[in-house]
Amino acid sequence: MQTKRMTFPGRFLPYALLAPQVIVTLIFFIWPAGQALYQSLLREDAFGLRTTFVGLENFARLFRDGAYLNSLSVTVVFAVGTTLLSMSVALLLASTVNRMIRSRSTYTTLLVWPYAIAPAIAGVLWWFIFNPSIGIVPYILDMVGYRWNHRTSGADAMTLVILAAAWKQISYNFLFFLAGLQSIPQSLIEAAAIDGASPMKRFWTIVFPLLTPTTFFLMVVNVVYAMFDTFGIIHATTQGGPAQATNTLVYKVYADGFVGLNLGSSAAQSVILMAIVVALTVVQFRFIERRVNY
Amino acid sequence: MVENRPWANFFAHLTLMIGVAVVVFPVYVALVASTQAPGDLLRGTLPMLPGAHGIENFTRMWQSGVSNAGAPPAGMMLWNSFVMAMAITVGKLSISLLSAFAIVYFRFRFRMFFFWLIFITLMLPVEVRIIPTFQVVADLNMLNSFAGLSIPLIASATATFLFRQFFMTIPEEMLEAARVDGAGPLKFFKDILMPLSVTNIAALFVIMFIYGWNQYLWPLLITTDPDYYTIVMGIQRMTSEENPQWHLIMAAVVMAALPPVLVILFMQRLFVKGLTETEK
């Protein structure tokens, strides 16, 4: 890794400058991560009196545990649903805004602010709209003959958390899609128009393929978001229920550790999650390198 | 625009207006709900037009909160959120400016080692290692304190990377000229690097402030004393009650959402810059 050609001399100063960040990192990142790794190999008995070394037993148990496998599939459904919904709405809005000339910045402003809303608050907002007794949407659904109840129906609860998570992420995807669209040379689109391609055809054969790098990048970011940043949405609304229907992996780490007090299992889950984050980060970085050369 | 199609334009505006309406709808509902009298939200469906009790609800929430639901006055929770968000923002910016400066402008032993040490933190969101981090903070006696709320969240590889990238684009001549004039490293940092970085600092400030303000799980775990509740987690305490008082909850929701939304609306350019650069 390069530095400047010319650098400052200094024997202690660089270490002093790095010290604050390195100390915080060691105490609050490296040490807890090491603890999670270590605890994932231990098991405490029911009273917390004796800890025994059990090797990879915690991991083996997890993959035999129906609740954990259920949580894995819940997470996949949730991440795919959130990513698809949020990205397709954002792409539709971004490509429409991109047609506008005078009103572009107004629409942009009106669409970006939900980024600022905390996931937990987004959850509460949608929870309120869909509240079975006083919410507006169940009232409308009731008129068409559907009885909405996210307290008893797992599918309803999943729909609710996906809506809340996707709603909050639209603004982010929108901004990146808009930036991607603006970097597509106008001449390509004009040439296709002269050849008689309709707007739909132009979009699918020229614009969409050229947006692929942005789309891939956003897919990774959205999956990471859905897996890790949506804890607040789940916790503030369904709390993983009904009957584990929205118990995502991140929520389960918390629930098993703090509520269930099963430290070994929770630590093993943490370790698996860390592995997933690392894998996703690697994918993201490798992909970005390619994006530069695009 | 390639061709002029009046109908297409009409549909484009229609699509966008529906999109904006969908995006605004939840917040509109919250605003309406926060202006209703207590009984109005128990009577079947929610009214779609604002009621007359807005000022009353907001004042009540601001001054006294919903104490039986374990939620202190919103004024205090907002202040706590503000202190936490500012501490996280300022902390993150200062430690990453310093370490990026060290990594770019010095050659020293273990430079790569430290760089990777910082890089690794990019991969470990707090939710993933929540229990051991909680144990560390509990051992350090930092539960129920602003230090505990902010310090564990200030290590940020993102900001360090961004500043490193930016410092690399500063012309070599700046440093050469400064050294010829006899400036030491700290003087160079203060009088040349900092003024050049102002826009980047401001853009990151916006992103980090929103990040800090919206923290949820961490404050939820480490504060048991209502004096340290932040607004985002305080709302959850109110909704998990048996008979949630929605008119007051929604007043609190509006108050919790307003500061970061205003930051985005008034600093939109910096926000977009910060967002696109931190994610690259």
Side-chain angles (χ1 to χ4, degrees), chain A residues 23-136:
Chain A
I23 290 171
V24 172
T25 305
L26 283 177
I27 297 180
F28 297 107
F29 284 75
I30 308 296
W31 174 246
Q35 284 283 310
L37 269 176
Y38 176 64
Q39 281 172 356
S40 71
L41 305 175
L42 300 177
R43 159 128 1 101
E44 272 187 14
D45 66 8
F47 306 101
L49 298 174
R50 237 163 24 113
T51 21
T52 39
F53 182 83
V54 292
L56 297 177
E57 175 62 22
N58 283 325
F59 293 92
R61 269 177 181 243
L62 277 180
F63 286 104
R64 286 196 304 265
D65 181 6
Y68 190 72
L69 296 176
N70 167 60
S71 172
L72 262 177
S73 64
V74 162
T75 309
V76 170
V77 172
F78 177 64
V80 171
T82 306
T83 306
L84 274 184
L85 180 62
S86 176
M87 280 179 65
S88 42
V89 173
L91 179 59
L92 174 70
L93 293 175
S95 49
T96 320
V97 164
N98 199 35
R99 290 170 50 91
M100 303 297 170
I101 296 156
R102 265 173 301 160
S103 52
R104 185 185 288 169
S105 63
T106 315
Y107 280 124
T108 307
T109 307
L110 286 171
L111 289 169
V112 295
W113 57 268
Y115 178 85
I117 293 185
I121 294 201
V124 171
L125 285 173
W126 285 90
W127 181 253
F128 182 62
I129 295 176
F130 278 91
N131 187 305
S133 47
I134 58 170
I136 179 79

Side-chain angles (χ1 to χ4, degrees), chain B residues 106-118:
Chain B
F106 290 89
R107 280 197 198 115
F108 52 94
R109 280 166 71 97
F110 304 119
R111 205 168 61 94
M112 284 307 284
F113 169 76
F114 285 121
F115 182 77
W116 282 105
L117 193 72
I118 295 169

Side-chain angles (χ1 to χ4, degrees), chain A:
Chain A
M1 192 186 56
Q2 62 211 116
T3 43
K4 296 280 181 182
R5 237 181 313 138
M6 189 185 195
T7 49
F8 282 110
R11 184 170 281 189
F12 301 109
L13 189 59
Y15 298 104
L17 292 171
L18 273 174
Q21 177 145 25
V22 168
I23 290 171
V24 172
T25 305
L26 283 177
I27 297 180
F28 297 107
F29 284 75
I30 308 296
W31 174 246
Q35 284 283 310
L37 269 176
Y38 176 64
Q39 281 172 356
S40 71
L41 305 175
L42 300 177
R43 159 128 1 101
E44 272 187 14
D45 66 8
F47 306 101
L49 298 174
R50 237 163 24 113
T51 21
T52 39
F53 182 83
V54 292
L56 297 177
E57 175 62 22
N58 283 325
F59 293 92
R61 269 177 181 243
L62 277 180
F63 286 104
R64 286 196 304 265
D65 181 6
Y68 190 72
L69 296 176
N70 167 60
S71 172
L72 262 177
S73 64
V74 162
T75 309
V76 170
V77 172
F78 177 64
V80 171
T82 306
T83 306
L84 274 184
L85 180 62
S86 176
M87 280 179 65
S88 42
V89 173
L91 179 59
L92 174 70
L93 293 175
S95 49
T96 320
V97 164
N98 199 35
R99 290 170 50 91
M100 303 297 170
I101 296 156
R102 265 173 301 160
S103 52
R104 185 185 288 169
S105 63
T106 315
Y107 280 124
T108 307
T109 307
L110 286 171
L111 289 169
V112 295
W113 57 268
Y115 178 85
I117 293 185
I121 294 201
V124 171
L125 285 173
W126 285 90
W127 181 253
F128 182 62
I129 295 176
F130 278 91
N131 187 305
S133 47
I134 58 170
I136 179 79
V137 178
Y139 178 72
I140 296 169
L141 285 176
D142 199 40
M143 288 195 286
V144 297
Y146 185 80
R147 288 197 64 78
W148 173 278
N149 196 340
H150 51 238
R151 291 208 179 90
T152 52
S153 156
D156 286 0
M158 180 56 97
T159 314
L160 175 74
V161 288
I162 288 181
L163 277 176
W167 174 75
K168 193 194 133 42
Q169 195 67 356
I170 285 177
S171 47
Y172 184 94
N173 295 333
F174 170 80
L175 278 172
F176 277 85
F177 272 134
L178 190 60
L181 287 166
Q182 283 173 351
S183 67
I184 293 175
Q186 195 63 28
S187 53
L188 291 177
I189 296 166
E190 281 164 11
I194 290 168
D195 288 348
S198 68
M200 266 300 164
K201 184 155 175 114
R202 290 203 297 269
F203 180 80
W204 288 114
T205 54
I206 297 173
V207 176
F208 193 69
L210 284 173
L211 270 182
T212 320
T214 314
T215 312
F216 270 125
F217 164 77
L218 283 177
M219 266 166 64
V220 178
V221 171
N222 277 276
V223 169
V224 172
Y225 161 79
M227 287 191 69
F228 303 104
D229 295 344
T230 50
F231 174 88
I233 295 178
I234 310 269
H235 185 260
T237 59
T238 62
Q239 308 234 326
Q244 312 272 323
T246 54
N247 200 355
T248 58
L249 292 172
V250 161
Y251 189 77
K252 197 165 156 53
V253 169
Y254 161 83
D256 286 0
F258 272 98
V259 187
L261 291 175
N262 189 346
L263 291 183
S265 170
S266 173
Q269 294 178 35
S270 283
V271 171
I272 295 173
L273 276 181
M274 286 188 222
I276 297 177
V277 190
V278 171
L280 284 171
T281 315
V282 170
V283 169
Q284 189 178 339
F285 270 75
R286 288 206 48 174
F287 158 68
I288 282 165
E289 269 167 32
R290 256 190 286 142
R291 185 163 82 134
V292 174
N293 301 326
Y294 199 88

Side-chain angles (χ1 to χ4, degrees), chain B residues 69-83:
Chain B
M76 195 178 82
M77 291 196 288
L78 285 166
W79 171 248
N80 289 342
S81 282
F82 179 75
V83 172

